[in-house]
Amino acid sequence: MASLTMLTRSFACTTFLLCVTVYGQLSSTFYANSCPQALSIVNNIVQQAVNEDKRMGASLLRLHFHDCFVNGCDASVLLDDNPNFESEKGARPNQNSLRGFDVIDNIKTQLENVCREVVSCADILAIAARDSVLQLGGPSWEVMLGRRDSRVPNKTAANEDIPSPFLEFSGLQIAFQKQGLSVKDLIALSGAHTIGQAQCFTFRNRIYQESNIDPVFAQSLQATCPRDDGVGSSNLSPFDIVNSNVFDNNYFKDLVASKGLLHSDQALLNGRDATFTQDQVALYSNDQTGFFTDFQVSMVNMGNIKPLTGTDGEIRKDYRKPN
């Protein structure tokens, strides 16, 4: 990632919500003249999709995350298989897991009707992620725009670089550091698990074999996720046991209570510098505003992982294939 310390940042004013911010070649007003309808089109479609299916908000946020961690935020995750390459959709972290492609398709179609070959698929993912969080009650932030789309996916990198739900904290830290993200970014971005659900196979070992889990919580999941491998492996359980359709700080309250769904969730309390990670989780569990503030910053940081700009890449006409 081109981290914040490597990017030029300037402010055209001092009011956060109104200022024009520039990170490298990305700008919050990139489409102001070329496609002024872009943001409203994305927002309207995301709002409708999330109203119809609350889980879609988490799915669109996850698409952006899984895109950015593979060669940067370049919409490579959207490409389908073709005779020249294998799609990232078939990688282990994505197979039979990613959702929301129909929503992105709808957005891209409408944008092409009003602003032909102007708005990139990579920017659509970034905007849709922000609007999904906002639609579920979370914070908003200025989305930096001007990314271009890659012409090829990288299935190998998708298998290697997208953090596994089975990682210890050290593995998570390495995965985030590889993208130029800090431990604070790691903890804040993990808070995205306050919405959405996970499949049984991702937490089966945790609820039957781990000791750092509330026993009543573990038992409550066992009916949905049987012990036997292959039985009910795709069954879903929510990350947030209170309300997985509301973006709040309950995820961190669950961690403090040893009710993290994934091994990698609860691992946030077991970092090398355990004092910092535990203090940060405790802070967010008690201060939703503080979590929201840091989440906003970390989402901008993640959105700036190695963007293609200028003449690099292309603006895809169809999100599924290169031009």
Side-chain angles (χ1 to χ4, degrees):
M1 167 189 175
S3 68
L4 281 182
T5 58
M6 298 166 59
L7 294 167
T8 301
R9 182 176 181 177
S10 63
F11 294 91
C13 65
T14 57
T15 304
F16 174 74
L17 292 177
L18 299 179
C19 65
V20 176
T21 313
V22 178
Y23 289 75
Q25 296 182 59
L26 301 185
S27 166
S28 61
T29 59
F30 188 83
Y31 298 113
N33 295 320
S34 59
C35 191
Q37 312 99 311
L39 293 177
S40 62
I41 288 173
V42 177
N43 181 266
N44 289 339
I45 295 174
V46 168
Q47 183 175 347
Q48 180 180 353
V50 174
N51 282 339
E52 293 174 356
D53 176 8
K54 297 295 185 184
R55 185 180 163 214
M56 186 57 66
S59 298
L60 293 172
L61 178 58
R62 188 164 179 259
L63 269 180
H64 182 44
F65 182 95
H66 282 221
D67 179 42
C68 291
F69 266 66
V70 182
N71 290 1
C73 308
D74 60 2
S76 59
V77 72
L78 300 177
L79 290 167
D80 287 341
D81 286 332
N82 76 22
N84 298 315
F85 54 66
E86 289 186 284
S87 170
E88 292 171 20
K89 296 175 183 177
R92 287 187 302 274
N94 297 333
Q95 191 173 27
N96 302 318
S97 172
L98 292 182
R99 303 170 69 243
F101 297 109
D102 54 335
V103 178
I104 303 302
D105 194 16
N106 189 9
I107 293 170
K108 183 61 176 172
T109 299
Q110 291 203 29
L111 285 172
E112 287 298 301
N113 286 338
V114 298
C115 307
R116 187 172 178 80
E117 296 178 49
V118 172
V119 182
S120 70
C121 300
D123 279 347
I124 290 172
L125 289 176
I127 302 167
R130 187 271 309 275
D131 291 351
S132 293
V133 170
L134 185 60
Q135 186 63 21
L136 293 177
S140 184
W141 59 91
E142 282 189 322
V143 179
M144 300 299 105
L145 301 168
R147 302 169 191 81
R148 289 167 65 84
D149 302 322
S150 66
R151 297 184 175 91
V152 293
N154 191 332
K155 184 178 179 180
T156 299
N159 279 319
E160 294 176 352
D161 293 345
I162 296 173
S164 163
F166 311 111
L167 286 178
E168 302 293 345
F169 183 85
S170 59
L172 293 170
Q173 187 173 9
I174 290 169
F176 276 70
Q177 283 180 338
K178 185 175 182 178
Q179 307 300 336
L181 298 173
S182 69
V183 171
K184 189 173 182 180
D185 289 322
L186 160 59
I187 298 171
L189 291 172
S190 294
H193 281 178
T194 194
I195 56 175
Q197 303 180 62
Q199 296 185 63
C200 163
F201 79 91
T202 64
F203 59 85
R204 175 181 276 125
N205 287 348
R206 172 157 169 73
I207 64 174
Y208 288 104
Q209 298 181 17
E210 297 185 9
S211 60
N212 62 339
I213 185 170
D214 178 86
V216 175
F217 172 65
Q219 187 174 13
S220 72
L221 294 168
Q222 291 171 6
T224 300
C225 188
R227 183 185 295 270
D228 295 338
D229 286 346
V231 179
S233 290
S234 61
N235 291 348
L236 298 170
S237 288
F239 286 108
D240 178 351
I241 60 177
V242 177
N243 191 336
S244 63
N245 293 326
V246 175
F247 197 98
D248 53 27
N249 67 334
N250 280 331
Y251 167 79
F252 297 102
K253 295 179 181 179
D254 290 341
L255 296 188
V256 172
S258 299
K259 296 178 182 179
L261 183 62
L262 303 180
H263 181 89
S264 58
D265 289 326
Q266 201 64 44
L268 295 186
L269 294 177
N270 302 319
R272 277 182 212 163
D273 186 0
T275 300
F276 174 78
T277 56
Q278 290 172 7
D279 286 352
Q280 201 67 25
V281 169
L283 172 65
Y284 291 157
S285 72
N286 290 309
D287 183 4
Q288 179 167 285
T289 300
F291 162 51
F292 280 9
T293 298
D294 289 348
F295 185 80
Q296 292 168 308
V297 173
S298 293
M299 283 299 296
V300 174
N301 293 353
M302 188 184 77
N304 280 278
I305 298 176
K306 295 182 291 190
L308 298 174
T309 58
T311 58
D312 293 334
E314 64 183 13
I315 305 298
R316 277 187 231 141
K317 302 173 188 176
D318 184 333
Y319 81 77
R320 302 177 188 84
K321 60 186 180 182
N323 294 339

